[in-house]
């Protein structure tokens, strides 16, 4: 990961193609319903895993990564790229915490789910983080 980041992030050709390009401003992002890393690259620190935790995200300590415009403009292609790089690093923190929470030794039982839950049409709503 560090090698890729060092190789690509500092590459002048890559940077010229991304810095100041494809700008999505905060207002436009909100108006069009942009979510995930693209929204956070605009400087909006909203992550559904923090705001409305699902699964076991509430057990983990992780930062919400946002764009900063440090190498171009806030919300440009380079900010979206950097946000994703930083989020991969943050994801590794989450994975490490998950692995640490596993019981030490012993057997694991896998849960068996019987049947399918099918709520009536229009009766279900869910949100998940998806890039």
């Amino acid at each position: 990961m560090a090698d890729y980041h060092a190789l690509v992030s500092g590459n002048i050709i890559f940077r010229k193609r991304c810095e100041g390009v494809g700008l999505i401003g905060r207002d436009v992002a909100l108006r069009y319903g942009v979510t995930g890393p693209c929204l956070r690259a605009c400087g909006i620190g909203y992550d559904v895993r923090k705001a409305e935790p699902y699964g076991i995200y509430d057990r983990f300590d992780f930062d919400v990564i946002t764009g900063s415009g440090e190498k171009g403009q806030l919300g440009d292609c380079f900010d979206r790229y950097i946000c994703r790089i930083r989020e991969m690093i943050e994801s590794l923190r989450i994975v490490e915490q998950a692995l640490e929470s596993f019981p030490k030794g012993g057997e694991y039982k896998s849960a068996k789910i019987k049947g399918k839950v099918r709520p009536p049409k229009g009766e279900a709503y869910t949100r998940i983080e998806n890039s």
Side-chain angles (χ1 to χ4, degrees):
M1 179 70 183
D3 292 340
Y4 178 84
H5 184 39
L7 178 70
V8 177
S9 302
N11 182 291
I12 192 69
I13 296 168
F14 179 75
R15 290 184 54 180
K16 291 264 185 209
R17 290 179 179 174
C18 295
E19 292 173 6
V21 174
L23 182 66
I24 301 173
R26 294 170 63 102
D27 293 341
V28 170
L30 292 171
R31 193 168 55 244
Y32 284 96
V34 174
T35 62
C38 291
L39 177 68
R40 291 188 289 277
C42 300
I44 299 171
Y46 181 82
D47 188 325
V48 73
R49 298 172 299 177
K50 284 274 193 184
E52 298 178 38
Y54 57 92
I56 58 172
Y57 280 108
D58 59 338
R59 299 182 198 170
F60 304 125
D61 176 36
F62 65 96
D63 297 325
V64 175
I65 306 299
T66 58
S68 62
E70 67 189 61
K71 303 289 185 189
Q73 290 179 285
L74 183 66
D76 66 7
C77 285
F78 195 78
D79 253 7
R80 289 191 291 276
Y81 160 77
I82 288 293
C83 272
R84 284 184 170 90
I85 291 289
R86 290 181 178 155
E87 285 193 349
M88 284 188 271
I89 294 165
E90 207 60 32
S91 293
L92 291 174
R93 277 185 60 203
I94 294 170
V95 169
E96 287 169 351
Q97 291 173 66
L99 290 174
E100 288 170 6
S101 71
F102 271 79
K104 307 295 183 237
E107 291 185 26
Y108 295 95
K109 278 189 158 181
S110 47
K112 293 186 179 185
I113 300 172
K114 296 179 181 179
K116 294 181 181 177
V117 176
R118 293 191 188 261
K121 276 189 174 185
E123 297 285 325
Y125 173 78
T126 186
R127 295 170 62 165
I128 61 168
E129 178 70 18
N130 192 356
S131 55

